[in-house]
Amino acid sequence: MQTTKNTITTEALFITDENVGLNWFVTDASNTYHNNGQKEICIVALGIRDITRAADYISVLNEFANKYSNKYFVFVTVGPVDEEKYKDVTNEQIDSFNQTVVAGLNSKWQIVDFNQFVREHTFSTQDGLHYAKENYIETFAWIVNSVKTQTITG
């Protein structure tokens, strides 16, 4: 999600970046969270890089969340691609990754189903992978609202 790279709100840190994978999360993302005051809420949104490494993500994400007590962690599912324009990954692979990771995350994680959100709305892409800027803005607002709802009711 290119427009929200490590965005900080007053209560949350939104960890995401373009063209990065598991190694980035282990090194940079973990340090970003630690160095930004360990906000009450940590929202993690991943892309399709390392989509075949769901088990590794589960291990790393659970280990990350277990380091911090009394914090709220949110996993944002990976969104679909336009398979007409983007041929490197299928939506079936993305769905499998999302299902595996969601099933493997421990109870410290809440889930925001971005994949379903995109499927229910009309999002345009330039290359089949990256959504239009206005879609990222809408998405960020929806994710923040979803997190606020979950923290109140969850």
Side-chain angles (χ1 to χ4, degrees):
M1 302 183 133
Q2 58 202 39
T3 60
T4 55
K5 177 181 175 181
N6 297 336
T7 300
I8 301 172
T9 68
T10 54
E11 299 131 359
L13 177 65
F14 197 105
I15 297 178
T16 188
D17 207 340
E18 265 188 276
N19 301 315
V20 295
L22 185 62
N23 292 338
W24 169 83
F25 186 86
V26 170
T27 56
D28 295 350
S30 297
N31 290 333
T32 296
Y33 181 68
H34 185 76
N35 294 333
N36 280 286
Q38 300 168 29
K39 299 289 184 174
E40 191 64 30
I41 302 168
C42 179
I43 304 166
V44 176
L46 306 170
I48 61 165
R49 177 134 357 227
D50 296 330
I51 199 89
T52 60
R53 298 181 66 190
D56 295 329
Y57 271 109
I58 292 166
S59 176
V60 166
L61 290 170
N62 284 335
E63 182 179 324
F64 173 71
N66 286 336
K67 287 181 185 177
Y68 305 98
S69 61
N70 302 320
K71 301 295 180 187
Y72 188 82
F73 294 90
V74 179
F75 176 75
V76 179
T77 61
V78 177
V81 296
D82 180 343
E83 291 178 331
E84 296 290 318
K85 295 180 183 176
Y86 192 79
K87 305 293 184 188
D88 292 345
V89 173
T90 67
N91 287 321
E92 185 176 327
Q93 289 173 296
I94 293 170
D95 292 343
S96 176
F97 174 84
N98 284 335
Q99 290 167 2
T100 301
V101 172
V102 167
L105 291 176
N106 65 33
S107 62
K108 291 198 79 163
W109 290 92
Q110 299 296 318
I111 309 302
V112 172
D113 196 349
F114 173 63
N115 189 287
Q116 185 65 35
F117 177 77
V118 172
R119 291 174 190 258
E120 291 173 355
H121 295 78
T122 304
F123 274 31
S124 59
T125 68
Q126 299 166 356
D127 58 3
L129 176 62
H130 299 101
Y131 304 112
K133 182 178 180 178
E134 57 273 7
N135 295 139
Y136 283 111
I137 293 167
E138 178 185 356
T139 296
F140 182 73
W142 176 80
I143 290 170
V144 169
N145 186 55
S146 296
V147 168
K148 285 181 180 179
T149 301
Q150 285 188 23
T151 57
I152 293 168
T153 63

